[in-house]
Amino acid sequence: MEDSNRHKGMRKRLALQLYEKGIQDEKVLGAIQAIPRHFFLDKAFEEHAYEDKAFPIDEEQTISQPYTVAYQTELLNVQKREKVLEVGTGSGYQSAILALLGARLYTIERHEKLQKKAKKMFDLLGLLGIRSYFGDGYRGLGEFAPFDKILVTAGATEIPTALKEQLKIGGVLVIPVGNSNHQKMLKITRTTATDYKQEVLKTFRFVPLLKGKNSWKNI
């Protein structure tokens, strides 16, 4: 795979577009400029990889538009060495952004084909510290909890109790919640062992967060 000066120039323009749309975090914009999004798309979409659009990937899933990735990442406010759970690996693009920001990342995907493909991409990019799992993200990864941050990259009809319980006190969960047509982005902060603060933010549209796998495994 080639990452040419032309690709890098397109990423720089994309980062500028995201800044103009309201993304202010320089670390997030820097990660957008650094990660070759075209690596995560089928060859047919390569020429469009740096448009601010979502595109289809395998298993009837999508790679989120860059603004959505940047928006969720900015809300999460990842600090170096923080332990982060990502629910919905998908193409692996969001995972790569989080890892580049210094997260100790655990990512889980319910479609095994996507999980395996993303893991190969992490290896190719030298992101060897990402721990990638196949299983039901609705249940989280309780064995590795608690997490400083949790990011959900699919639309939920409710906030999974398991994910709230896997946050550290002071930890943050970012999750889109709503119906099949649109979801509100929620930022949930665990303030005590039993209390949570909830902020309701912008409207988005994600593929649904599914559940049903009864186990997970590291591949």
Side-chain angles (χ1 to χ4, degrees):
M1 286 183 167
E2 181 186 12
D3 186 27
S4 67
N5 287 332
R6 178 170 168 267
H7 291 124
K8 292 171 184 176
M10 288 191 288
R11 287 203 293 279
K12 187 174 182 178
R13 288 194 294 274
L14 174 60
L16 179 59
Q17 290 174 24
L18 298 182
Y19 175 78
E20 291 171 346
K21 289 183 176 182
I23 303 300
Q24 301 293 312
D25 191 318
E26 292 183 359
K27 292 184 297 182
V28 173
L29 294 171
I32 293 288
Q33 285 195 59
I35 297 295
R37 188 176 188 240
H38 64 284
F39 283 14
F40 297 86
L41 290 166
D42 289 339
K43 192 74 174 177
F45 296 108
E46 182 174 343
E47 287 302 308
H48 304 282
Y50 298 106
E51 296 175 14
D52 191 21
K53 295 179 180 178
F55 291 103
I57 58 173
D58 294 330
E59 305 292 343
E60 299 182 346
Q61 302 299 296
T62 61
I63 180 172
S64 293
Q65 74 177 91
Y67 176 77
T68 302
V69 171
Y71 183 83
Q72 286 196 293
T73 306
E74 189 170 63
L75 281 180
L76 209 63
N77 190 27
V78 173
Q79 304 300 310
K80 286 188 182 297
R81 301 296 300 160
E82 281 189 327
K83 192 175 178 182
V84 177
L85 171 64
E86 178 192 32
V87 175
T89 312
S91 69
Y93 177 65
Q94 173 75 81
S95 314
I97 296 289
L98 294 172
L100 195 63
L101 291 172
R104 292 183 293 139
L105 185 66
Y106 296 72
T107 183
I108 185 168
E109 171 57 53
R110 76 183 306 277
H111 296 287
E112 190 168 13
K113 180 178 180 179
L114 292 180
Q115 192 271 337
K116 288 181 175 179
K117 189 173 182 180
K119 190 170 189 308
K120 288 180 181 178
M121 185 57 64
F122 302 152
D123 293 344
L124 177 67
L125 292 172
L127 300 172
L128 304 179
I130 298 176
R131 300 183 67 169
S132 176
Y133 295 89
F134 162 59
D136 181 9
Y138 200 93
R139 294 155 53 102
L141 285 173
E143 182 165 323
F144 303 108
F147 297 96
D148 296 290
K149 307 284 172 64
I150 299 177
L151 178 63
V152 179
T153 64
T157 56
E158 60 185 2
I159 304 167
T161 300
L163 298 185
K164 291 173 67 176
E165 291 177 346
Q166 288 172 31
L167 275 179
K168 287 183 179 178
I169 295 174
V172 171
L173 164 65
V174 172
I175 179 172
V177 177
N179 56 40
S180 59
N181 294 318
H182 66 271
Q183 304 90 33
K184 288 287 187 181
M185 195 69 69
L186 304 184
K187 180 180 179 181
I188 298 163
T189 304
R190 187 171 197 173
T191 54
T192 71
T194 56
D195 297 313
Y196 300 83
K197 173 188 173 185
Q198 179 173 299
E199 300 171 65
V200 181
L201 303 165
K202 292 186 178 183
T203 301
F204 290 85
R205 185 174 183 180
F206 285 78
V207 295
L209 176 65
L210 304 175
K211 55 184 176 178
K213 298 287 184 184
N214 294 317
S215 62
W216 50 263
K217 55 183 178 178
N218 188 10
I219 298 177

